[in-house]
């Protein structure tokens, strides 16, 4: 699973008014890991993506926006 540059993750986190520190505390993930996911330098496993989606209270598919026009994430 690839979060394209982590843009959806960062956008949703900001919309929820959560800092990386707060998301880290909720998920149990390190600050560095979340930062790497948001910057597209690391790809979370399905389990980690599910944990992040649950912490953000969004369906997991919202972390993976799909463009129907060009079939890309």
């Amino acid at each position: 699973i690839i979060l394209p540059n982590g843009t959806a993750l960062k956008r949703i986190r900001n919309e929820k008014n959560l800092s990386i520190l707060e998301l880290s505390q909720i998920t149990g993930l390190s600050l560095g890991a979340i930062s790497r996911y948001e910057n597209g330098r690391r790809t979370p496993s399905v389990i980690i993506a599910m944990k992040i989606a649950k912490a953000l209270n969004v369906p997991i598919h919202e972390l993976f926006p799909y463009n129907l026009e060009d079939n890309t994430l």
Side-chain angles (χ1 to χ4, degrees), residues 5-46:
N5 297 323
T7 54
L9 172 56
K10 188 171 188 175
R11 177 185 51 78
I12 294 166
R13 179 180 60 74
N14 286 328
E15 286 173 359
K16 302 286 182 172
N17 294 314
L18 289 173
S19 67
I20 291 178
L21 176 61
E22 291 168 321
L23 184 57
S24 170
Q25 292 170 336
I26 295 167
T27 60
L29 300 171
S30 73
L31 295 168
I34 293 170
S35 178
R36 287 187 291 275
Y37 299 146
E38 288 190 349
N39 292 314
R41 291 180 296 179
R42 189 160 185 210
T43 302
S45 68
V46 172

